[in-house]
Amino acid sequence: MKKLLLAFAIMSSCGIVYGQETETVNYGDPTASFSSLGVSGTEGKFQVNGMVGLGKHIFQLDLGYDKDTDKGNYRGRYFHVTEGLGYSVDVLGDKDSTTGLAGVIYKMDITDNISLFPMASVGYTSAKDDKGAKSESALAQAGLYGMYAFDSGHWVYANPKATYHEQSKEWLPQFEVGAGYMIMDNASIGTKVEYTAESSKKGLVKESDTVAWLQANYYF
């Protein structure tokens, strides 16, 4: 029995269990399967971020609060990863709005450190304003996620994208940049900046918005 336990320990330390090799994961990779728990915050906004990776099946849940609107918000996602190609279903919103999206993402390794991820999705959104007036629209979104993964596990990324609102017949550009820094083998801190361009939806001009977030994650 002692010999058997010793052999299993050696196999585990070498990353070989039941004939499978442990793969090195960069936590900035949007198609990587792993489990984590984290928090994100910016002025007046806060989120708890959870993710469970079960091989090719990935489940995510974000729960947040916005002080400006005094509303809680959520985002749930199921993600199925295959070799280079992933499929996702997202549901997000708050008590006054709901949006559903279904999309695809494809991973292209340009070099050992640089990866590109073209992505596209379609969906539908429904919301009501403070007076109870309801608005609905079909959505289409296209984007590109580009990541540089450092050999030490840190990462930087950029994610330009645009969303088409069928109701207002307009494209809404967005741009996100961010970075993650591994402070331990199983923990990181990071930041991201989100920019949303000006919108004239429903004939009302909405100002552009830029939000900077701080993040911390624990991986297990």
Side-chain angles (χ1 to χ4, degrees), residues 7-141:
F8 183 81
I10 293 173
M11 291 167 65
S12 299
S13 66
C14 293
I16 304 173
V17 179
Y18 299 121
Q20 296 181 353
E21 295 186 3
T22 301
E23 296 182 359
T24 301
V25 174
N26 184 284
Y27 297 111
D29 184 338
T31 64
S33 181
F34 55 87
S35 297
S36 67
L37 183 63
V39 292
S40 304
T42 186
E43 184 177 359
K45 299 179 182 180
F46 179 80
Q47 278 189 348
V48 176
N49 315 112
M51 176 169 158
V52 176
L54 303 174
K56 294 182 178 181
H57 305 279
I58 302 172
F59 301 87
Q60 292 176 274
L61 179 63
D62 301 327
L63 299 175
Y65 174 74
D66 188 331
K67 183 179 179 181
D68 293 337
T69 61
D70 194 26
K71 293 180 183 179
N73 54 73
Y74 67 91
R75 178 171 187 149
R77 162 180 267 204
Y78 166 72
F79 191 43
H80 180 75
V81 182
T82 60
E83 186 63 33
L85 185 64
Y87 308 86
S88 63
V89 177
D90 292 76
V91 179
L92 61 152
D94 54 37
K95 67 182 184 67
D96 295 321
S97 67
T98 303
T99 299
L101 293 167
V104 295
I105 182 172
Y106 185 75
K107 181 178 181 178
M108 300 186 301
D109 290 322
I110 307 304
T111 69
D112 290 341
N113 299 93
I114 300 175
S115 298
L116 295 178
F117 304 79
M119 56 184 70
S121 59
V122 295
Y124 199 80
T125 185
S126 175
K128 60 180 180 180
D129 60 22
D130 295 337
K131 298 180 181 180
K134 190 175 183 179
S135 62
E136 299 178 329
S137 179
L139 303 174
Q141 188 179 88

